[in-house]
């Protein structure tokens, strides 16, 4: 007699490609996040269906050792018993992609979360692909308007650049991402909300994005309560979708919140399958995966579009020397640092212009623009370096002309750097404001 489980499995396999079916295996142990099976020799990355007393759950092969195959479930583990049957699930490989993704919200596997029906896929794209030959990429030589004045003027981003947003928790990373989503000049915006609070997903979609903006956006959501495998896939799915639109010749803005959660998900998986920890508990595979993900963004060839990417990096305890933050700085094309002290004082966006830098800014702006930005930074830095003396009244006016200028200019610079959450300030308008501010500071003093 055919069991209900076999009937369900047969219905799933009707959708699959014709690949050799590997013999079923069985579970011998389940420890922590992983399941151990014998009898199913499958390559890493293969999908399986695991029988439980409550139904079936999907799992992915994440490693092997001797005769043991390590599986990581894509959902909560319930009803697992010793000897549970494991069947290979030979579904079509690749992520369903197409123009119908615009305006949709999907999970880490590319399945819809918004209740708007199935996504009509034009074709399937692999979630991993060989590295692009760096010599066929177009150079970064044009500025990207992100609608945020402090970035447009003082940390100008180039089309195809990969930037990091470094900040502790609750300093305004998600709000800044929303501002850039509204103000950018991209054709398509792909947002990956990975490992963050589930509440933020709905807020981002309904409160931060307008109905018009949602039409050109794709949101990939893998909140903190999903499995580490789904969080890992969330970033890779967002990148794959962005690559699809880039290959179509479109200008894409990719926002991933956060790269740290991606690293933590890989750490959970690696430790669960026995990889030894190295730097502060992070296994070596974490630092191999980070550049593999980040390097997929950027400009394409002459016939392709571009992916301008912002990756948020959570600095635990506001420590910018955190291993993930340190590794991310080395592989990104610049970083914007958000300051907790600025946020606490009501200064939004809380961008610390002294600590932030765009490494491609000299290639995408004029020399005059660079001189104005440098002048504003110098004056602002003089004020910050002497702020304690000024605050307690220990500085005597007239002692240093540079500090006198910084004291006079501080209110204007602070006003220039601040911006309303729903306010969009285009690139040209940002430059006009910077020119007026730099003129008041007296170029060359």
């Amino acid at each position: 007699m055919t069991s209900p489980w076999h009937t369900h499995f047969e219905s799933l396999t009707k959708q699959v490609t014709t690949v050799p079916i590997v013999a079923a295996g069985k579970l011998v142990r389940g420890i922590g996040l992983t399941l151990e099976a014998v009898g199913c020799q499958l390559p890493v990355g293969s999908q399986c269906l695991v029988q439980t007393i409550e139904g079936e759950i999907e799992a992915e092969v994440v490693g092997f050792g001797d005769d043991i195959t390590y599986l990581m479930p894509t959902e909560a583990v319930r009803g697992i018993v010793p000897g549970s049957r494991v069947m290979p699930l030979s579904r079509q490989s690749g992520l369903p992609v197409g123009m119908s993704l615009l305006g949709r919200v999907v999970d880490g596997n590319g399945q819809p979360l918004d209740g708007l029906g199935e996504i009509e896929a034009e074709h399937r794209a692999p979630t991993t692909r060989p590295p692009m030959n760096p010599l066929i990429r177009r150079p970064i030589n044009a500025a990207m308007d992100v609608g945020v004045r402090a970035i447009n003027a003082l940390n100008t981003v180039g089309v195809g650049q990969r930037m990091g947003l470094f900040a502790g928790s609750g300093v305004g990373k998600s709000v800044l991402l929303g501002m850039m989503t509204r103000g950018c000049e991209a054709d398509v915006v792909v947002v990956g909300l990975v490992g963050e609070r589930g509440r933020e997903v709905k807020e981002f979609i309904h409160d931060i994005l307008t109905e018009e903006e949602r039409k050109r956006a794709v949101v990939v959501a893998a909140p903190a309560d999903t499995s580490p495998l789904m969080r890992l896939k969330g970033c890779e799915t967002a990148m794959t979708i962005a690559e699809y639109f880039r290959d179509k010749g479109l200008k894409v803005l990719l926002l991933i919140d956060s790269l740290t959660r991606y690293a933590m998900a890989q750490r959970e998986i690696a430790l669960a399958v026995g990889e030894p920890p190295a730097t502060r508990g992070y296994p070596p595979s974490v630092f191999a995966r980070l550049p593999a993900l980040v390097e997929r963004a950027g400009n394409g060839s002459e016939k392709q579009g571009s992916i301008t990417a912002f990756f948020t990096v959570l600095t635990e305890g506001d420590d910018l020397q955190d291993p993930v933050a340190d590794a991310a700085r080395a592989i990104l094309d610049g970083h914007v640092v958000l300051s907790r002290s600025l946020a606490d004082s009501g200064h939004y966006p809380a961008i610390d212009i002294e600590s932030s830098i765009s490494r491609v800014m000299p290639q995408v702006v004029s020399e005059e623009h660079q001189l104005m930005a440098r002048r504003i930074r110098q004056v602002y830095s003089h004020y910050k370096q002497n702020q304690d003396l000024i605050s307690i009244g220990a500085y005597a006016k007239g002692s240093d002309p540079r500090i006198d200028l910084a004291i006079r200019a501080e209110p204007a610079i602070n006003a220039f750097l601040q911006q309303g959450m729903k306010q969009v300030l285009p690139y040209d308008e940002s430059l006009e404001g910077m020119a007026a501010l730099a003129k008041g500071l007296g170029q060359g003093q």
Side-chain angles (χ1 to χ4, degrees):
M1 182 176 177
T2 305
S3 69
W5 185 81
H6 280 93
T7 304
H8 176 72
F9 178 73
E10 288 173 3
S11 68
L12 284 171
T13 54
K14 288 179 181 178
Q15 314 169 41
V16 306
T17 54
T18 55
V19 297
I21 299 297
V22 182
K26 65 177 182 179
L27 293 182
V28 293
R29 190 161 57 167
I31 299 178
L33 300 173
T34 58
L35 306 174
E36 298 181 8
V38 295
C40 49
Q41 297 180 350
L42 294 169
V44 173
S46 300
Q47 302 293 316
C48 301
L49 202 62
V50 180
Q51 182 184 15
T52 76
I53 60 175
E54 297 184 7
E56 299 81 36
I57 61 172
E58 287 191 31
E60 183 174 308
V61 178
V62 294
F64 57 85
D66 296 327
D67 295 329
I68 301 293
T69 301
Y70 298 104
L71 310 176
M72 179 74 67
T74 59
E75 54 190 283
V77 178
R78 292 185 299 271
I80 295 289
V81 295
S84 293
R85 197 171 186 188
V86 179
M87 295 290 286
L89 190 58
S90 49
R91 277 195 290 216
Q92 287 182 332
S93 61
L95 183 76
V97 292
M99 298 302 291
S100 58
L101 278 168
L102 293 176
R104 302 299 300 271
V105 183
V106 299
D107 64 12
N109 283 326
Q111 299 304 310
L113 290 174
D114 49 16
L116 300 179
E118 291 298 317
I119 295 170
E120 297 180 8
E122 296 177 11
H123 68 275
R124 290 180 174 268
T127 52
T128 58
R129 57 195 293 179
M132 181 182 291
N133 184 340
L135 297 182
I136 70 171
R137 289 184 186 267
R138 298 192 319 279
I140 300 174
N141 52 22
M144 175 83 168
D145 183 3
V146 296
V148 179
R149 183 165 53 195
I151 296 177
N152 280 343
L154 302 178
N155 295 284
T156 311
V157 176
V159 175
Q161 186 173 356
R162 294 158 296 202
M163 288 283 284
L165 290 180
F166 290 71
S169 57
V171 184
K173 297 187 303 299
S174 299
V175 173
L176 183 56
L177 291 182
M179 293 170 66
M180 289 191 288
T181 303
R182 284 191 300 272
C184 73
E185 59 176 11
D187 302 315
V188 175
V189 180
V190 180
V191 183
L193 301 176
V194 177
E196 299 298 330
R197 296 180 291 273
R199 171 183 61 82
E200 291 184 339
V201 176
K202 191 166 186 177
E203 285 183 0
F204 191 92
I205 296 166
H206 295 286
D207 297 343
I208 295 180
L209 298 180
T210 66
E211 185 177 349
E212 192 63 31
E213 289 153 1
R214 286 198 291 270
K215 291 179 181 178
R216 63 165 182 160
V218 184
V219 178
V220 181
D225 58 351
T226 57
S227 71
L229 189 62
M230 289 297 287
R231 281 177 265 141
L232 198 72
K233 285 178 171 289
C235 287
E236 294 170 353
T237 293
M239 184 65 74
T240 300
I241 292 172
E243 287 174 327
Y244 167 78
F245 289 113
R246 178 184 65 188
D247 293 346
K248 286 280 188 180
L250 300 176
K251 184 188 291 186
V252 182
L253 177 67
L254 172 65
L255 308 172
I256 290 186
D257 186 13
S258 71
L259 193 65
T260 304
R261 303 303 186 193
Y262 175 80
M264 288 181 173
Q266 174 59 23
R267 177 174 66 178
E268 291 179 47
I269 294 172
L271 293 177
V273 299
E275 189 177 343
T279 308
R280 292 199 197 174
Y282 286 95
S285 63
V286 171
F287 302 103
R289 272 188 175 268
L290 287 176
L293 177 74
V294 169
E295 284 293 323
R296 292 170 63 180
N299 283 334
S301 64
E302 293 297 334
K303 296 181 180 180
Q304 296 176 327
S306 63
I307 300 175
T308 306
F310 282 84
F311 300 89
T312 69
V313 179
L314 180 63
T315 53
E316 297 183 8
D318 295 331
D319 180 13
L320 290 175
Q321 306 308 315
D322 173 82
V324 175
D326 200 39
R329 263 198 311 272
I331 58 179
L332 293 168
D333 301 322
H335 51 271
V336 174
V337 177
L338 302 186
S339 164
R340 186 173 299 278
S341 61
L342 288 175
D344 290 344
S345 66
H347 183 293
Y348 287 102
I351 297 174
D352 183 352
I353 62 170
E354 287 186 291
S355 303
S356 304
I357 188 171
S358 171
R359 294 177 181 170
V360 305
M361 184 173 173
Q363 284 82 52
V364 299
V365 302
S366 66
E367 186 175 351
E368 182 184 8
H369 184 158
Q370 291 184 62
L371 291 174
M372 290 190 294
R374 189 180 307 157
R375 182 60 178 160
I376 293 171
R377 283 176 178 273
Q378 288 172 345
V379 175
Y380 183 80
S381 181
H382 279 135
Y383 182 85
K384 286 295 183 182
Q385 290 169 8
N386 296 277
Q387 188 171 13
D388 291 342
L389 289 176
I390 297 168
S391 299
I392 64 175
Y395 173 74
K397 185 178 179 181
S399 301
D400 188 331
R402 296 176 302 174
I403 299 178
D404 292 339
L405 173 62
I407 294 172
R408 293 195 304 270
E410 190 268 342
I413 294 176
N414 263 331
F416 176 79
L417 296 176
Q418 295 184 65
Q419 183 174 331
M421 186 179 76
K422 296 187 177 180
Q423 187 179 14
V424 174
L425 295 172
Y427 185 77
D428 291 341
E429 188 176 329
S430 300
L431 294 193
E432 290 173 6
M434 180 175 67
L437 178 59
K439 184 178 181 180
L441 299 179
Q443 288 282 359
Q445 288 187 16

